[in-house]
Amino acid sequence: GITDDSNNMQKAINYVKSCDGTDTLNVAPGYYLISKTLNIPSNIKICGNIKTMYHDENKKATVFIRKENIIMFNLSGKPYSESGTELRASDIELSDFTLVTDSNEYYDKPLIFTKRSIYNMFNRLVFRGNGKAIFFDISSFDMRFMNCDFVGNCDIETIESYTDAFGTAVLYGTNQMIFFGCRWEGYTKGNLLKFNNYTREMFFFGCKFEGRIKDGNPHIYTQSNNSDVYMYGTRITVLAGSNTYFANLNDLKRSLFDISYIDNSTQHDNALIKINNTSSINFLFKPSFSINNYQPEYYIENSNDNTSFEFDGTLI
């Protein structure tokens, strides 16, 4: 965690890529200081050792640390105007390590950056610290995040669309991302998830949100031509000192919010979800409350131009 390991780590990645018959880089337990962006090619696995959210001294973990505002892992394909192989960064697997932003200042460059990237797997990763965790740039499609932890102000954002022509096709936006068993904990600012225009098919299964947002921004924010955001079995714990919406949904279509647990440890004035210009959305609430003198006035704040939304549950 003291010596800069950027160049040697990139050399190791490039070496594995050049070898025939192997595709895996195993990174030993330890603390690795990264000060330059690591470019990750297609068809490679980078595996650490023993993912632990709170590191036990007896369980050695692989930890990548950044102390500067850099992109740590770059998963980017080539422009579609170019010819040749690997136009997209694909079939990349990152597993079992921690990525730490070591700074009191919020770093707006992401730990993981994707652009023209598809069919990648992220297993048991921990994002820690005060900085953006993931940024999905243009044409980022079909990725899986399994049992990942986002601890601190580690948020996810998608690009606003723009044209990137390939033949007669125009490819843009973010599509088909699945988060399974992921947790957002210990945060103090939002947005944890910010979906800009042309973000589609975002799935969250059994995810947990527990923290104290103090800057008033919602956990989840959508804007401009979004559709298909699905949350199943979501657990929410709003800690004392937070006064915000869980979700502020604008221009959203064909979505489901299945919320199975809400623990409000303090009274505040905002609704759980605010909707504006939404359509074809179903809200399913099955919460158990830890009331603690908290009396929810309403779940949904209905702004304007909302059509075809339904509610299920006895507490509406």
Side-chain angles (χ1 to χ4, degrees), residues 241-258:
S242 181
N243 189 21
T244 183
Y245 302 101
F246 171 66
N248 186 350
L249 309 178
N250 301 276
D251 311 305
L252 189 65
K253 303 175 180 64
R254 298 190 304 276
S255 297
L256 169 69
F257 288 83
D258 173 2

Side-chain angles (χ1 to χ4, degrees), residues 32-276:
Y32 299 89
L33 178 62
I34 305 298
S35 66
K36 300 177 184 177
T37 297
L38 301 177
N39 295 303
I40 314 301
S42 296
N43 301 293
I44 192 172
K45 299 178 183 179
I46 301 177
C47 300
N49 186 73
I50 303 180
K51 172 246 139 182
T52 55
M53 182 172 169
Y54 303 102
H55 298 305
D56 188 328
E57 291 298 325
N58 296 319
K59 294 182 179 180
K60 301 301 183 181
T62 302
V63 182
F64 294 91
I65 302 170
R66 67 170 178 175
K67 296 185 178 181
E68 301 176 31
N69 192 11
I70 61 160
I71 295 171
M72 187 177 286
F73 287 80
N74 176 36
L75 286 62
S76 294
K78 298 178 181 179
Y80 293 119
S81 57
E82 295 186 14
S83 59
T85 60
E86 295 191 10
L87 288 176
R88 291 180 176 177
S90 67
D91 299 289
I92 298 168
E93 183 175 326
L94 306 179
S95 300
D96 293 295
F97 54 79
T98 296
L99 299 94
V100 174
T101 299
D102 184 10
S103 173
N104 293 325
E105 177 187 355
Y106 177 82
Y107 286 170
D108 58 355
K109 292 185 178 179
L111 289 162
I112 294 179
F113 174 83
T114 73
K115 185 174 184 177
R116 306 184 188 97
S117 185
I118 188 170
Y119 301 141
N120 300 314
M121 291 284 295
F122 306 87
N123 303 314
R124 299 173 301 279
L125 299 183
V126 179
F127 300 83
R128 294 182 66 91
N130 192 33
K132 191 175 296 296
I134 304 169
F135 188 86
F136 296 117
D137 207 321
I138 189 169
S139 298
S140 294
F141 301 147
D142 297 295
M143 301 186 207
R144 307 292 181 263
F145 294 82
M146 310 293 288
N147 301 310
C148 295
D149 293 328
F150 300 84
V151 185
N153 297 317
C154 296
D155 55 78
I156 296 173
E157 186 174 357
T158 66
I159 188 67
E160 295 190 23
S161 67
Y162 56 90
T163 300
D164 195 22
F166 176 58
T168 58
V170 177
L171 305 176
Y172 46 72
T174 302
N175 203 342
Q176 185 62 244
M177 302 294 180
I178 295 180
F179 297 84
F180 180 84
C182 295
R183 300 185 293 180
W184 283 260
E185 296 185 322
Y187 47 80
T188 60
K189 62 178 293 185
N191 313 110
L192 301 181
L193 302 170
K194 185 178 182 181
F195 300 143
N196 294 299
N197 43 328
Y198 295 101
T199 297
R200 301 175 186 274
E201 297 179 13
M202 308 293 284
F203 296 89
F204 299 83
F205 296 92
C207 292
K208 177 184 177 182
F209 297 84
E210 180 177 352
R212 180 186 296 107
I213 289 184
K214 297 181 180 180
D215 64 359
N217 287 309
H219 300 65
I220 301 169
Y221 179 76
T222 71
Q223 65 174 354
S224 302
N225 298 313
N226 287 275
S227 66
D228 306 323
V229 176
Y230 298 98
M231 288 195 166
Y232 298 89
T234 304
R235 296 174 61 87
I236 305 168
T237 300
V238 181
L239 298 179
S242 181
N243 189 21
T244 183
Y245 302 101
F246 171 66
N248 186 350
L249 309 178
N250 301 276
D251 311 305
L252 189 65
K253 303 175 180 64
R254 298 190 304 276
S255 297
L256 169 69
F257 288 83
D258 173 2
I259 298 175
S260 60
Y261 177 86
I262 307 172
D263 179 3
N264 294 280
S265 58
T266 182
Q267 183 173 355
H268 59 82
D269 298 327
N270 288 321
L272 185 68
I273 296 175
K274 180 180 180 179
I275 56 176
N276 177 47

